[in-house]
PDB file of all heavy atoms in Angstrom:
ATOM      1  N   PRO I   2     -10.479 -37.336  30.602  1.00  0.00           N
ATOM      2  CA  PRO I   2     -11.556 -37.461  29.577  1.00  0.00           C
ATOM      3  C   PRO I   2     -11.983 -38.902  29.444  1.00  0.00           C
ATOM      4  O   PRO I   2     -11.230 -39.832  29.607  1.00  0.00           O
ATOM      5  CB  PRO I   2     -11.012 -36.963  28.330  1.00  0.00           C
ATOM      6  CG  PRO I   2      -9.819 -36.042  28.721  1.00  0.00           C
ATOM      7  CD  PRO I   2      -9.312 -36.699  29.984  1.00  0.00           C
ATOM      8  N   LEU I   3     -13.378 -39.091  29.204  1.00  0.00           N
ATOM      9  CA  LEU I   3     -13.902 -40.454  29.142  1.00  0.00           C
ATOM     10  C   LEU I   3     -13.953 -40.824  27.589  1.00  0.00           C
ATOM     11  O   LEU I   3     -14.444 -40.146  26.792  1.00  0.00           O
ATOM     12  CB  LEU I   3     -15.321 -40.450  29.653  1.00  0.00           C
ATOM     13  CG  LEU I   3     -16.041 -41.708  29.722  1.00  0.00           C
ATOM     14  CD1 LEU I   3     -15.363 -42.702  30.626  1.00  0.00           C
ATOM     15  CD2 LEU I   3     -17.467 -41.498  30.265  1.00  0.00           C
ATOM     16  N   ILE I   4     -13.289 -42.007  27.361  1.00  0.00           N
ATOM     17  CA  ILE I   4     -13.268 -42.571  26.031  1.00  0.00           C
ATOM     18  C   ILE I   4     -14.003 -43.872  25.932  1.00  0.00           C
ATOM     19  O   ILE I   4     -13.806 -44.729  26.840  1.00  0.00           O
ATOM     20  CB  ILE I   4     -11.782 -42.796  25.513  1.00  0.00           C
ATOM     21  CG1 ILE I   4     -11.004 -41.527  25.616  1.00  0.00           C
ATOM     22  CG2 ILE I   4     -11.751 -43.361  24.078  1.00  0.00           C
ATOM     23  CD1 ILE I   4     -11.338 -40.452  24.591  1.00  0.00           C
ATOM     24  N   GLY I   5     -14.918 -44.043  24.955  1.00  0.00           N
ATOM     25  CA  GLY I   5     -15.668 -45.221  24.860  1.00  0.00           C
ATOM     26  C   GLY I   5     -14.974 -46.227  23.850  1.00  0.00           C
ATOM     27  O   GLY I   5     -14.468 -45.819  22.827  1.00  0.00           O
ATOM     28  N   TYR I   6     -14.966 -47.529  24.233  1.00  0.00           N
ATOM     29  CA  TYR I   6     -14.490 -48.540  23.314  1.00  0.00           C
ATOM     30  C   TYR I   6     -15.686 -49.435  22.995  1.00  0.00           C
ATOM     31  O   TYR I   6     -16.223 -50.105  23.831  1.00  0.00           O
ATOM     32  CB  TYR I   6     -13.352 -49.400  24.025  1.00  0.00           C
ATOM     33  CG  TYR I   6     -12.754 -50.445  23.192  1.00  0.00           C
ATOM     34  CD1 TYR I   6     -11.629 -50.167  22.398  1.00  0.00           C
ATOM     35  CD2 TYR I   6     -13.252 -51.761  23.153  1.00  0.00           C
ATOM     36  CE1 TYR I   6     -11.006 -51.154  21.642  1.00  0.00           C
ATOM     37  CE2 TYR I   6     -12.628 -52.724  22.337  1.00  0.00           C
ATOM     38  CZ  TYR I   6     -11.527 -52.418  21.641  1.00  0.00           C
ATOM     39  OH  TYR I   6     -10.989 -53.397  20.811  1.00  0.00           O
ATOM     40  N   LEU I   7     -16.071 -49.397  21.714  1.00  0.00           N
ATOM     41  CA  LEU I   7     -17.216 -50.119  21.253  1.00  0.00           C
ATOM     42  C   LEU I   7     -16.962 -51.636  21.225  1.00  0.00           C
ATOM     43  O   LEU I   7     -15.920 -52.081  20.713  1.00  0.00           O
ATOM     44  CB  LEU I   7     -17.655 -49.650  19.905  1.00  0.00           C
ATOM     45  CG  LEU I   7     -18.957 -48.700  19.963  1.00  0.00           C
ATOM     46  CD1 LEU I   7     -18.577 -47.445  20.707  1.00  0.00           C
ATOM     47  CD2 LEU I   7     -19.395 -48.401  18.563  1.00  0.00           C
ATOM     48  N   THR I   8     -17.966 -52.389  21.793  1.00  0.00           N
ATOM     49  CA  THR I   8     -17.874 -53.886  21.579  1.00  0.00           C
ATOM     50  C   THR I   8     -19.278 -54.380  21.049  1.00  0.00           C
ATOM     51  O   THR I   8     -20.156 -53.502  20.889  1.00  0.00           O
ATOM     52  CB  THR I   8     -17.588 -54.568  22.974  1.00  0.00           C
ATOM     53  OG1 THR I   8     -18.625 -54.161  23.920  1.00  0.00           O
ATOM     54  CG2 THR I   8     -16.262 -54.167  23.468  1.00  0.00           C
ATOM     55  N   GLY I   9     -19.479 -55.645  20.914  1.00  0.00           N
ATOM     56  CA  GLY I   9     -20.758 -56.147  20.505  1.00  0.00           C
ATOM     57  C   GLY I   9     -20.837 -56.559  19.013  1.00  0.00           C
ATOM     58  O   GLY I   9     -21.781 -57.117  18.658  1.00  0.00           O
ATOM     59  N   ASN I  10     -19.796 -56.188  18.284  1.00  0.00           N
ATOM     60  CA  ASN I  10     -19.713 -56.568  16.844  1.00  0.00           C
ATOM     61  C   ASN I  10     -18.420 -57.221  16.477  1.00  0.00           C
ATOM     62  O   ASN I  10     -17.846 -56.991  15.440  1.00  0.00           O
ATOM     63  CB  ASN I  10     -19.968 -55.340  15.967  1.00  0.00           C
ATOM     64  CG  ASN I  10     -21.411 -54.810  16.042  1.00  0.00           C
ATOM     65  OD1 ASN I  10     -21.701 -54.073  16.935  1.00  0.00           O
ATOM     66  ND2 ASN I  10     -22.256 -55.297  15.145  1.00  0.00           N
TER      67      ASN I  10
END
Side-chain angles (χ1 to χ4, degrees):
L3 186 61
I4 303 290
Y6 183 90
L7 258 62
T8 59
N10 290 87

